[in-house]
Amino acid sequence: MTEKIIVDCPKCSKKVRIPVGKKIRFVCPSCAEELEYDDLPEISKNSGINPKETDKAQKEKTGYIGHIALILSSLIISIPIVIGYYQYLMWIPIKSIEIRMIVVVLIYALSVYLLIFKFKKLAFALMIILLLKMGYNQYFNKKGLTYNKAFRGYVTLVENKFEKQSQPFKRC
Protein backbone atom coordinates (compact mmCIF):
# COMPACT_ATOMS: atom_id res chain seq x y z
CA MET A 1 0.00 0.00 0.00
CA THR A 2 1.20 3.50 -0.74
CA GLU A 3 1.81 5.95 2.04
CA LYS A 4 -0.53 8.93 2.17
CA ILE A 5 -0.32 12.34 3.74
CA ILE A 6 -3.05 14.76 4.71
CA VAL A 7 -3.22 18.12 2.92
CA ASP A 8 -5.53 21.01 3.80
CA CYS A 9 -7.52 22.74 1.07
CA PRO A 10 -6.52 26.45 1.15
CA LYS A 11 -10.05 27.59 0.33
CA CYS A 12 -12.27 25.53 2.66
CA SER A 13 -9.71 23.87 5.00
CA LYS A 14 -11.01 20.39 4.15
CA LYS A 15 -8.45 17.64 4.83
CA VAL A 16 -7.63 15.45 1.83
CA ARG A 17 -5.41 12.34 1.78
CA ILE A 18 -2.99 12.09 -1.15
CA PRO A 19 -0.11 9.69 -1.97
CA VAL A 20 3.44 10.57 -0.93
CA GLY A 21 6.20 11.12 -3.52
CA LYS A 22 4.01 12.14 -6.45
CA LYS A 23 2.99 15.20 -8.34
CA ILE A 24 -0.77 15.06 -8.30
CA ARG A 25 -3.74 17.18 -9.34
CA PHE A 26 -6.98 16.66 -7.48
CA VAL A 27 -10.32 18.30 -6.79
CA CYS A 28 -11.37 19.21 -3.26
CA PRO A 29 -14.47 17.14 -2.38
CA SER A 30 -16.28 19.98 -0.57
CA CYS A 31 -15.52 23.19 -2.57
CA ALA A 32 -14.65 21.65 -6.00
CA GLU A 33 -11.43 23.67 -6.11
CA GLU A 34 -8.79 22.14 -8.40
CA LEU A 35 -5.52 21.77 -6.49
CA GLU A 36 -2.04 20.56 -7.32
CA TYR A 37 0.43 19.01 -4.88
CA ASP A 38 4.04 18.29 -5.77
CA ASP A 39 5.98 16.01 -3.43
CA LEU A 40 8.63 14.74 -5.88
CA PRO A 41 12.33 14.93 -4.95
CA GLU A 42 14.23 17.93 -6.34
CA ILE A 43 16.34 15.83 -8.75
CA SER A 44 13.31 14.42 -10.51
CA LYS A 45 11.61 17.85 -10.59
CA ASN A 46 14.55 19.31 -12.49
CA SER A 47 14.86 16.43 -14.93
CA GLY A 48 11.14 16.11 -15.62
CA ILE A 49 11.26 12.31 -15.27
CA ASN A 50 9.14 10.31 -12.90
CA PRO A 51 11.39 8.35 -10.48
CA LYS A 52 9.30 5.19 -10.92
CA GLU A 53 9.88 5.35 -14.67
CA THR A 54 13.66 5.59 -14.20
CA ASP A 55 13.64 2.60 -11.83
CA LYS A 56 11.64 0.62 -14.37
CA ALA A 57 13.98 1.64 -17.19
CA GLN A 58 17.04 0.61 -15.19
CA LYS A 59 15.49 -2.77 -14.41
CA GLU A 60 14.63 -3.39 -18.06
CA LYS A 61 17.96 -2.13 -19.42
CA THR A 62 20.15 -5.02 -20.53
CA GLY A 63 22.60 -3.14 -22.73
CA TYR A 64 24.37 -4.13 -25.93
CA ILE A 65 26.88 -6.41 -24.24
CA GLY A 66 24.10 -8.20 -22.38
CA HIS A 67 22.15 -8.79 -25.60
CA ILE A 68 25.28 -9.99 -27.39
CA ALA A 69 25.97 -12.42 -24.53
CA LEU A 70 22.36 -13.64 -24.69
CA ILE A 71 22.53 -14.12 -28.46
CA LEU A 72 25.83 -16.01 -28.26
CA SER A 73 24.64 -18.23 -25.44
CA SER A 74 21.39 -19.00 -27.28
CA LEU A 75 23.37 -19.95 -30.40
CA ILE A 76 25.79 -22.09 -28.37
CA ILE A 77 22.86 -23.88 -26.76
CA SER A 78 20.75 -24.28 -29.89
CA ILE A 79 23.32 -25.52 -32.45
CA PRO A 80 24.15 -28.88 -30.78
CA ILE A 81 20.51 -29.54 -29.97
CA VAL A 82 19.42 -28.85 -33.55
CA ILE A 83 22.23 -31.05 -34.87
CA GLY A 84 21.13 -33.84 -32.56
CA TYR A 85 17.47 -33.63 -33.55
CA TYR A 86 17.91 -32.58 -37.17
CA GLN A 87 16.63 -35.88 -38.54
CA TYR A 88 13.25 -35.13 -36.98
CA LEU A 89 13.12 -31.64 -38.52
CA MET A 90 13.13 -32.69 -42.18
CA TRP A 91 9.49 -31.63 -42.69
CA ILE A 92 10.49 -28.00 -43.34
CA PRO A 93 9.87 -27.38 -47.09
CA ILE A 94 13.29 -26.00 -48.07
CA LYS A 95 15.27 -27.98 -50.67
CA SER A 96 18.81 -27.03 -49.61
CA ILE A 97 19.95 -28.89 -46.50
CA GLU A 98 22.31 -26.07 -45.46
CA ILE A 99 19.65 -23.37 -45.70
CA ARG A 100 17.15 -25.58 -43.87
CA MET A 101 19.69 -26.15 -41.09
CA ILE A 102 20.40 -22.41 -40.80
CA VAL A 103 16.68 -21.58 -40.66
CA VAL A 104 16.04 -24.23 -38.01
CA VAL A 105 19.01 -23.05 -35.92
CA LEU A 106 17.85 -19.42 -36.14
CA ILE A 107 14.27 -20.30 -35.18
CA TYR A 108 15.42 -22.43 -32.29
CA ALA A 109 18.01 -19.82 -31.21
CA LEU A 110 15.29 -17.16 -31.19
CA SER A 111 13.11 -19.26 -28.93
CA VAL A 112 16.06 -20.00 -26.61
CA TYR A 113 16.97 -16.28 -26.66
CA LEU A 114 13.46 -15.31 -25.58
CA LEU A 115 13.53 -17.90 -22.80
CA ILE A 116 16.95 -16.77 -21.59
CA PHE A 117 15.89 -13.10 -21.83
CA LYS A 118 12.92 -13.83 -19.61
CA PHE A 119 15.21 -15.33 -16.95
CA LYS A 120 18.32 -13.26 -17.74
CA LYS A 121 19.56 -12.81 -14.17
CA LEU A 122 19.49 -16.56 -13.58
CA ALA A 123 21.03 -17.23 -17.00
CA PHE A 124 23.89 -14.76 -16.43
CA ALA A 125 24.55 -16.18 -12.96
CA LEU A 126 24.66 -19.76 -14.27
CA MET A 127 26.88 -18.70 -17.19
CA ILE A 128 29.36 -17.02 -14.88
CA ILE A 129 29.38 -19.98 -12.49
CA LEU A 130 29.95 -22.39 -15.40
CA LEU A 131 32.78 -20.31 -16.88
CA LEU A 132 34.46 -19.96 -13.48
CA LYS A 133 34.17 -23.70 -12.83
CA MET A 134 35.57 -24.52 -16.27
CA GLY A 135 38.44 -22.08 -15.69
CA TYR A 136 39.16 -23.63 -12.29
CA ASN A 137 39.23 -27.14 -13.79
CA GLN A 138 41.45 -25.95 -16.64
CA TYR A 139 43.92 -24.09 -14.44
CA PHE A 140 44.32 -26.76 -11.77
CA ASN A 141 44.13 -29.75 -14.18
CA LYS A 142 41.06 -31.13 -12.43
CA LYS A 143 38.72 -33.73 -13.83
CA GLY A 144 35.54 -32.39 -15.28
CA LEU A 145 34.59 -29.95 -18.00
CA THR A 146 37.32 -27.59 -19.21
CA TYR A 147 37.44 -25.14 -22.09
CA ASN A 148 39.45 -27.59 -24.22
CA LYS A 149 37.12 -30.50 -23.53
CA ALA A 150 34.04 -28.38 -24.26
CA PHE A 151 35.48 -27.17 -27.57
CA ARG A 152 36.62 -30.64 -28.62
CA GLY A 153 33.25 -32.14 -27.69
CA TYR A 154 31.40 -29.46 -29.62
CA VAL A 155 33.55 -29.99 -32.75
CA THR A 156 33.27 -33.80 -32.49
CA LEU A 157 29.49 -33.59 -32.24
CA VAL A 158 29.28 -31.55 -35.43
CA GLU A 159 31.80 -33.69 -37.33
CA ASN A 160 30.20 -37.00 -36.35
CA LYS A 161 26.72 -35.86 -37.25
CA PHE A 162 27.70 -34.77 -40.75
CA GLU A 163 29.97 -37.74 -41.42
CA LYS A 164 27.20 -40.27 -40.78
CA GLN A 165 24.64 -38.56 -43.09
CA SER A 166 21.87 -40.39 -41.29
CA GLN A 167 18.60 -41.09 -43.03
CA PRO A 168 15.75 -38.72 -42.21
CA PHE A 169 13.04 -39.87 -39.86
CA LYS A 170 10.28 -41.62 -41.82
CA ARG A 171 6.68 -41.17 -40.84
CA CYS A 172 4.37 -44.15 -40.96
Side-chain angles (χ1 to χ4, degrees), residues 57-73:
Q58 286 177 350
K59 287 179 184 177
E60 292 177 357
K61 184 179 177 183
T62 304
Y64 293 114
I65 295 175
H67 283 290
I68 290 171
L70 289 175
I71 290 169
L72 288 176
S73 62

Side-chain angles (χ1 to χ4, degrees), residues 26-169:
F26 61 95
V27 177
C28 178
S30 60
C31 67
E33 177 77 19
E34 187 173 317
L35 303 169
E36 183 175 335
Y37 184 78
D38 191 1
D39 193 27
L40 289 174
E42 283 298 319
I43 296 171
S44 62
K45 285 181 188 177
N46 295 337
S47 66
I49 299 172
N50 191 351
K52 288 187 179 180
E53 291 175 1
T54 57
D55 291 343
K56 187 178 180 182
Q58 286 177 350
K59 287 179 184 177
E60 292 177 357
K61 184 179 177 183
T62 304
Y64 293 114
I65 295 175
H67 283 290
I68 290 171
L70 289 175
I71 290 169
L72 288 176
S73 62
S74 65
L75 283 172
I76 289 171
I77 292 169
S78 64
I79 289 173
I81 293 173
V82 169
I83 289 171
Y85 291 106
Y86 183 69
Q87 63 185 354
Y88 304 108
L89 301 171
M90 296 299 288
W91 54 268
I92 296 174
I94 299 174
K95 296 197 189 253
S96 172
I97 292 175
E98 293 84 12
I99 294 174
R100 184 184 313 141
M101 182 73 105
I102 291 170
V103 168
V104 170
V105 166
L106 290 177
I107 290 170
Y108 194 80
L110 178 67
S111 63
V112 170
Y113 172 80
L114 293 174
L115 183 68
I116 291 175
F117 186 75
K118 179 72 177 169
F119 303 105
K120 62 185 160 202
K121 287 184 180 179
L122 178 66
F124 281 134
L126 291 176
M127 232 184 326
I128 289 171
I129 290 170
L130 177 68
L131 290 174
L132 288 174
K133 177 67 175 157
M134 287 171 63
Y136 176 79
N137 289 344
Q138 180 94 18
Y139 185 73
F140 292 110
N141 294 327
K142 300 282 185 178
K143 292 182 181 178
L145 188 63
T146 62
Y147 298 121
N148 292 336
K149 288 181 185 177
F151 181 73
R152 278 188 273 129
Y154 197 80
V155 170
T156 322
L157 172 76
V158 173
E159 286 175 351
N160 289 344
K161 191 63 180 178
F162 286 112
E163 283 177 3
K164 291 180 184 176
Q165 292 293 328
S166 62
Q167 294 295 322
F169 181 71

